[in-house]
PDB file of all heavy atoms in Angstrom:
ATOM      1  N   GLN A   8      61.730  25.496  26.519  1.00  0.00           N
ATOM      2  CA  GLN A   8      60.902  25.660  27.711  1.00  0.00           C
ATOM      3  C   GLN A   8      60.092  26.950  27.658  1.00  0.00           C
ATOM      4  O   GLN A   8      58.959  26.989  28.136  1.00  0.00           O
ATOM      5  CB  GLN A   8      61.760  25.580  28.977  1.00  0.00           C
ATOM      6  CG  GLN A   8      62.239  24.168  29.248  1.00  0.00           C
ATOM      7  CD  GLN A   8      63.054  24.040  30.511  1.00  0.00           C
ATOM      8  OE1 GLN A   8      63.366  25.017  31.184  1.00  0.00           O
ATOM      9  NE2 GLN A   8      63.420  22.820  30.848  1.00  0.00           N
ATOM     10  N   GLU A  25      50.793  16.048  23.114  1.00  0.00           N
ATOM     11  CA  GLU A  25      50.311  17.257  22.434  1.00  0.00           C
ATOM     12  C   GLU A  25      51.408  18.319  22.394  1.00  0.00           C
ATOM     13  O   GLU A  25      51.597  18.995  21.379  1.00  0.00           O
ATOM     14  CB  GLU A  25      49.075  17.825  23.147  1.00  0.00           C
ATOM     15  CG  GLU A  25      47.846  16.950  23.076  1.00  0.00           C
ATOM     16  CD  GLU A  25      46.695  17.542  23.869  1.00  0.00           C
ATOM     17  OE1 GLU A  25      46.185  18.607  23.463  1.00  0.00           O
ATOM     18  OE2 GLU A  25      46.325  16.954  24.900  1.00  0.00           O
ATOM     19  N   ILE A  46      58.609  19.475  31.664  1.00  0.00           N
ATOM     20  CA  ILE A  46      57.417  19.650  32.500  1.00  0.00           C
ATOM     21  C   ILE A  46      57.800  19.656  33.975  1.00  0.00           C
ATOM     22  O   ILE A  46      57.325  20.482  34.755  1.00  0.00           O
ATOM     23  CB  ILE A  46      56.367  18.564  32.189  1.00  0.00           C
ATOM     24  CG1 ILE A  46      55.717  18.862  30.836  1.00  0.00           C
ATOM     25  CG2 ILE A  46      55.321  18.453  33.299  1.00  0.00           C
ATOM     26  CD1 ILE A  46      54.837  17.754  30.312  1.00  0.00           C
ATOM     27  N   HIS A  58      44.096  20.103  32.379  1.00  0.00           N
ATOM     28  CA  HIS A  58      45.108  20.637  31.467  1.00  0.00           C
ATOM     29  C   HIS A  58      46.292  21.184  32.267  1.00  0.00           C
ATOM     30  O   HIS A  58      46.177  21.500  33.442  1.00  0.00           O
ATOM     31  CB  HIS A  58      44.517  21.714  30.543  1.00  0.00           C
ATOM     32  CG  HIS A  58      43.954  22.887  31.254  1.00  0.00           C
ATOM     33  ND1 HIS A  58      42.658  22.923  31.721  1.00  0.00           N
ATOM     34  CD2 HIS A  58      44.498  24.077  31.602  1.00  0.00           C
ATOM     35  CE1 HIS A  58      42.447  24.070  32.322  1.00  0.00           C
ATOM     36  NE2 HIS A  58      43.543  24.793  32.259  1.00  0.00           N
ATOM     37  N   VAL A  97      46.657  40.412  44.824  1.00  0.00           N
ATOM     38  CA  VAL A  97      46.137  40.009  43.513  1.00  0.00           C
ATOM     39  C   VAL A  97      46.958  40.667  42.408  1.00  0.00           C
ATOM     40  O   VAL A  97      47.317  40.025  41.411  1.00  0.00           O
ATOM     41  CB  VAL A  97      44.633  40.335  43.377  1.00  0.00           C
ATOM     42  CG1 VAL A  97      44.134  40.028  41.967  1.00  0.00           C
ATOM     43  CG2 VAL A  97      43.815  39.554  44.410  1.00  0.00           C
ATOM     44  N   VAL A 106      50.301  37.855  32.677  1.00  0.00           N
ATOM     45  CA  VAL A 106      49.113  37.700  31.842  1.00  0.00           C
ATOM     46  C   VAL A 106      49.332  38.446  30.525  1.00  0.00           C
ATOM     47  O   VAL A 106      49.712  39.615  30.514  1.00  0.00           O
ATOM     48  CB  VAL A 106      47.843  38.223  32.564  1.00  0.00           C
ATOM     49  CG1 VAL A 106      46.621  38.139  31.662  1.00  0.00           C
ATOM     50  CG2 VAL A 106      47.612  37.444  33.855  1.00  0.00           C
ATOM     51  N   ASP A 107      49.111  37.752  29.423  1.00  0.00           N
ATOM     52  CA  ASP A 107      49.347  38.318  28.106  1.00  0.00           C
ATOM     53  C   ASP A 107      48.571  39.611  27.909  1.00  0.00           C
ATOM     54  O   ASP A 107      47.367  39.662  28.149  1.00  0.00           O
ATOM     55  CB  ASP A 107      48.958  37.306  27.023  1.00  0.00           C
ATOM     56  CG  ASP A 107      49.324  37.772  25.629  1.00  0.00           C
ATOM     57  OD1 ASP A 107      50.422  38.335  25.462  1.00  0.00           O
ATOM     58  OD2 ASP A 107      48.511  37.580  24.714  1.00  0.00           O
ATOM     59  N   THR A 117      40.863  47.951  47.662  1.00  0.00           N
ATOM     60  CA  THR A 117      39.787  47.075  47.200  1.00  0.00           C
ATOM     61  C   THR A 117      39.696  46.974  45.683  1.00  0.00           C
ATOM     62  O   THR A 117      38.853  46.258  45.163  1.00  0.00           O
ATOM     63  CB  THR A 117      38.420  47.572  47.720  1.00  0.00           C
ATOM     64  OG1 THR A 117      38.208  48.894  47.231  1.00  0.00           O
ATOM     65  CG2 THR A 117      38.358  47.543  49.234  1.00  0.00           C
ATOM     66  N   LEU A 120      44.177  48.401  39.149  1.00  0.00           N
ATOM     67  CA  LEU A 120      44.106  48.829  37.768  1.00  0.00           C
ATOM     68  C   LEU A 120      45.134  48.038  36.973  1.00  0.00           C
ATOM     69  O   LEU A 120      46.304  47.973  37.357  1.00  0.00           O
ATOM     70  CB  LEU A 120      44.417  50.327  37.672  1.00  0.00           C
ATOM     71  CG  LEU A 120      44.464  50.921  36.264  1.00  0.00           C
ATOM     72  CD1 LEU A 120      43.055  50.960  35.662  1.00  0.00           C
ATOM     73  CD2 LEU A 120      45.068  52.312  36.310  1.00  0.00           C
ATOM     74  N   ALA A 131      40.756  40.285  26.087  1.00  0.00           N
ATOM     75  CA  ALA A 131      41.251  38.919  26.301  1.00  0.00           C
ATOM     76  C   ALA A 131      41.701  38.713  27.745  1.00  0.00           C
ATOM     77  O   ALA A 131      41.418  37.660  28.347  1.00  0.00           O
ATOM     78  CB  ALA A 131      42.400  38.623  25.334  1.00  0.00           C
ATOM     79  N   ILE A 140      36.745  33.124  38.060  1.00  0.00           N
ATOM     80  CA  ILE A 140      35.869  33.573  39.149  1.00  0.00           C
ATOM     81  C   ILE A 140      34.784  32.531  39.402  1.00  0.00           C
ATOM     82  O   ILE A 140      34.232  31.965  38.538  1.00  0.00           O
ATOM     83  CB  ILE A 140      35.247  34.959  38.823  1.00  0.00           C
ATOM     84  CG1 ILE A 140      36.346  35.997  38.798  1.00  0.00           C
ATOM     85  CG2 ILE A 140      34.177  35.315  39.832  1.00  0.00           C
ATOM     86  CD1 ILE A 140      35.867  37.395  38.470  1.00  0.00           C
TER      87      ILE A 140
END
Side-chain angles (χ1 to χ4, degrees):
Q8 288 182 355
E25 293 177 67
I46 287 170
H58 60 273
V97 175
V106 177
D107 186 41
T117 60
L120 176 70
I140 293 179

